[in-house]
Amino acid sequence: LAAEDFEITPLAVTVTPDALSKTYGEVDPLLTYTLSATSSATLSVVGALSRASGEDVGDYAIELGTLSNTNYTLTLAPENFQITPLAVTVTPDNLTKVYGELDPVLTYSLRAASSATLTTTGSLTRAAGDDVGDYAIGLGTLTNTNYSLTLAPENLSITPLAVTVTPDALTKTYGNSDSTLTYSLS
């Protein structure tokens, strides 16, 4: 009887990452997956998936990482890990100015359901007009590509200018016509 080798070849196993995502500023969740093969064998692997590096909003390719089993040939089904924008509310400070003055700097605060340090670039704007009244504040050029900005409604209020009217001291002699009443403003 001639000696013959019996060869056991690796099982082709597909690793399918679960659709995973996080919101900007959160900690990455565990990268979970399912295993599938044409065999009815119980499948198991050691290690963990990884993802392309980056923390900004976008899609990052999921990779096999350290996932392994010497009895398998692992194939990764393409899947991305998604980082979605953080919902941030922009609350303008309650601002007013007196008629005729220059506009104040439109200041604001940022709030989110995250412990991330919140920053933006740009500035708020306001509706045009210089008469007494309320003028809606808008997001203007305020931005951060990692945030979904929502503006809390607020107005810049222009209040009336306080003016003192001081009549000039006038007199008339009985029987003469009234003189024009004059005054000064301050």
Side-chain angles (χ1 to χ4, degrees), residues 45-116:
V45 293
V46 294
L49 294 175
S50 62
R51 69 169 180 91
S53 64
E55 292 302 322
D56 288 330
V57 167
D59 291 337
Y60 298 87
I62 294 178
E63 301 158 347
L64 277 175
T66 60
L67 213 58
S68 68
N69 183 317
T70 57
N71 293 316
Y72 302 160
T73 300
L74 297 176
T75 303
L76 182 65
E79 185 67 55
N80 286 325
F81 179 83
Q82 185 178 42
I83 299 178
T84 58
L86 175 63
V88 175
T89 301
V90 178
T91 304
D93 296 332
N94 189 11
L95 298 171
T96 61
K97 78 170 194 170
V98 174
Y99 174 81
E101 291 180 352
L102 294 175
D103 277 5
V105 174
L106 299 176
T107 58
Y108 56 90
S109 61
L110 302 172
R111 185 176 44 84
S114 168
S115 61

Side-chain angles (χ1 to χ4, degrees), residues 4-53:
E4 188 67 39
D5 288 337
F6 181 75
E7 184 178 359
I8 299 177
T9 59
L11 177 62
V13 174
T14 301
V15 178
T16 305
D18 296 327
L20 295 169
S21 66
K22 74 172 186 175
T23 300
Y24 174 80
E26 292 179 347
V27 175
D28 279 11
L30 180 65
L31 298 177
T32 57
Y33 53 88
T34 56
L35 302 173
S36 61
T38 56
S39 162
S40 61
T42 302
L43 304 175
S44 68
V45 293
V46 294
L49 294 175
S50 62
R51 69 169 180 91
S53 64

